[in-house]
Amino acid sequence: MRAASASRAASRTLRSSLRPSLRRYCTETDAILMAAPPRMRVVDLHRPDALNALNSEMVATLLPLFQDWQQVGGDVKLVVMRGAGDRAFCAGGDIRFLHECASGYAATGDPAALSPAHEFFRAEYTLNNVLGTSRVPVVSILGGIVMGGGVGLSVHGQVRIATDSTIFAMPETGIGFFPDVGGSYFLPRLPAHLGFFLGLTGTRLRGRDVLTAGVATHFVPLARIEALEALLLEMAASTSGKAYTLESNQDFVDPEVLARAIGALDEVDRGKADGAPAAAPPLLTLESMGEIDAAFGLPDVGLIVEAVGAGAAAARERGDDTHWSIRAAAELGKVSPTSLAAAHAIFPARDGTLFDALSMPSR
């Protein structure tokens, strides 16, 4: 009982530290809010009306902060990122800003009109690389929508926590683009060619499917998020007095210990699942993953489209209108063939680095 009370008190401490005694950066828009509990930093992406879409001011704020937090012997042992509000962690980049840049170029023909967009992407990809190589463990709590730029902020970090409300997608081919933000690094590393499936079709994954796909490293039910926050506070504070050496990572929260502790939160919930509301049927089952692997493991985009279409026709014939291939075939039919070909072509060999993948769109 006493332990439960302490946990609730710690969680309230974390939440209260985020309002209103925050240190504020990017003061013109208040787009980033940061709290500094002992030995920890909590970053809120704070554009809830825009689904926390990532803009240039946010990137310019976050990049130097994350670079500074890498210092050996510093006072930051753990970083937590969240999205403000209940609807999104981060729904992508600021499309309005990018549209304005493109419109300016279309109207004037002046390449300088595109310079702000180029600079945004350059800084965003640099931030993605810093997150992917961070010595300090970065925990992203993926509440709500996680797409595009939000994927780049989270998927390269050591700990990505999906929850009941998580909706993940890489929808770039649907707008004539291709998966960026390091997509050509992490998508091919997902099991069963799921990365090719997600990158080409823009399919949305929800809840536990995000964990099954390997996009998330953990799943914590919404009912356990306060317990998660209390755990993170406790683990950051427990690093007090530990010395850093080149042979260890003890100046920071131990990622393996952290992973086991977060996993236990899900196990606690599973043990009490009898009275819980039923979750939606998963998209990713052993059967569907085998089918996806067979179709999207084919070496050519044309063969993939043909195989998915054949699967959709067979599903309709047997009256299975919910089969994954039906929606996938429809999405592939709407996407520009050039975009599909580009998306498939940018996936490098598995021994490529994150830096290589982030550099590829500018080549």
Side-chain angles (χ1 to χ4, degrees), residues 66 70 129-138 158:
F66 274 99
Q70 305 308 309
N129 192 62
V130 169
L131 290 165
T133 57
S134 175
R135 286 197 293 259
V136 181
V138 179
Q158 295 183 28

Side-chain angles (χ1 to χ4, degrees), residues 46-351:
H46 196 253
R47 298 183 68 209
D49 292 342
L51 299 177
N52 301 317
L54 193 65
N55 63 22
S56 56
E57 292 85 0
M58 295 166 77
V59 173
T61 299
L62 290 171
L63 179 56
L65 287 175
F66 274 99
Q67 289 172 326
D68 182 64
W69 293 337
Q70 305 308 309
Q71 294 181 21
V72 173
D75 67 339
V76 179
K77 315 301 183 185
L78 181 68
V79 178
V80 178
M81 278 202 293
R82 318 180 319 167
D86 299 325
R87 296 189 296 161
F89 170 77
C90 174
D94 190 340
I95 297 297
R96 179 179 298 178
F97 161 73
L98 297 174
H99 181 266
E100 288 174 354
C101 293
S103 297
Y105 174 69
T108 66
D110 184 358
L114 295 175
S115 294
H118 291 158
E119 183 54 38
F120 168 76
F121 284 120
R122 187 178 301 112
E124 181 187 20
Y125 297 161
T126 301
L127 174 60
N128 296 157
N129 192 62
V130 169
L131 290 165
T133 57
S134 175
R135 286 197 293 259
V136 181
V138 179
V139 177
S140 296
I141 301 176
L142 306 177
I145 299 168
V146 187
M147 296 184 184
V151 175
L153 285 179
S154 58
V155 78
H156 305 304
Q158 295 183 28
V159 180
R160 292 97 61 188
I161 300 174
T163 191
D164 308 79
S165 65
T166 305
I167 302 172
F168 167 91
M170 291 291 286
E172 286 79 8
T173 57
I175 57 172
F177 197 40
F178 52 83
D180 63 335
V181 296
S184 59
Y185 177 79
F186 77 86
L187 288 172
R189 288 166 169 76
L190 299 182
H193 288 93
L194 288 175
F196 290 77
F197 167 59
L198 297 171
L200 294 177
T201 67
T203 295
R204 295 186 176 194
L205 298 181
R206 299 172 185 269
R208 286 192 184 274
D209 276 336
V210 183
L211 174 63
T212 302
V215 174
T217 57
H218 301 80
F219 182 92
V220 174
L222 284 171
R224 304 288 299 169
I225 292 297
E226 287 195 11
L228 168 66
E229 293 173 341
L231 170 70
L232 297 174
L233 273 171
E234 179 182 352
M235 295 197 73
S238 70
T239 59
S240 176
K242 293 186 177 180
Y244 178 85
T245 68
L246 292 177
E247 290 75 27
S248 71
N249 197 37
Q250 290 303 300
D251 193 49
F252 307 114
V253 171
D254 188 318
E256 293 185 7
V257 175
L258 178 62
R260 289 196 297 271
I262 295 173
L265 290 176
D266 190 23
E267 292 304 317
V268 168
D269 188 80
R270 286 172 186 256
K272 298 181 179 180
D274 292 341
L283 169 67
L284 300 181
T285 62
L286 287 176
E287 181 179 6
S288 66
M289 289 175 68
E291 295 169 348
I292 290 168
D293 192 19
F296 286 84
L298 294 171
D300 177 80
V301 169
L303 294 175
I304 292 172
V305 172
E306 183 179 331
V308 174
R316 289 193 190 93
E317 187 173 336
R318 62 178 182 266
D320 185 0
D321 293 334
T322 63
H323 194 264
W324 66 269
S325 63
I326 293 178
R327 178 169 290 183
E331 292 300 323
L332 291 172
K334 293 188 293 187
V335 173
S336 160
T338 301
S339 186
L340 285 178
H344 191 268
I346 65 169
F347 292 149
R350 287 177 180 266
D351 57 357

Side-chain angles (χ1 to χ4, degrees), residues 14-46 61-62 64-65 68-69 75-76:
L14 176 55
R15 290 184 179 275
S16 64
S17 70
L18 293 173
R19 312 275 192 273
S21 58
L22 294 167
R23 295 176 58 191
R24 293 180 178 237
Y25 295 87
C26 200
T27 54
E28 196 171 312
T29 62
D30 283 336
I32 297 293
L33 304 181
M34 192 190 79
R39 303 177 186 88
M40 180 174 166
R41 296 296 180 269
V42 182
V43 175
D44 265 6
L45 310 174
H46 196 253
T61 299
L62 290 171
L65 287 175
D68 182 64
W69 293 337
D75 67 339
V76 179

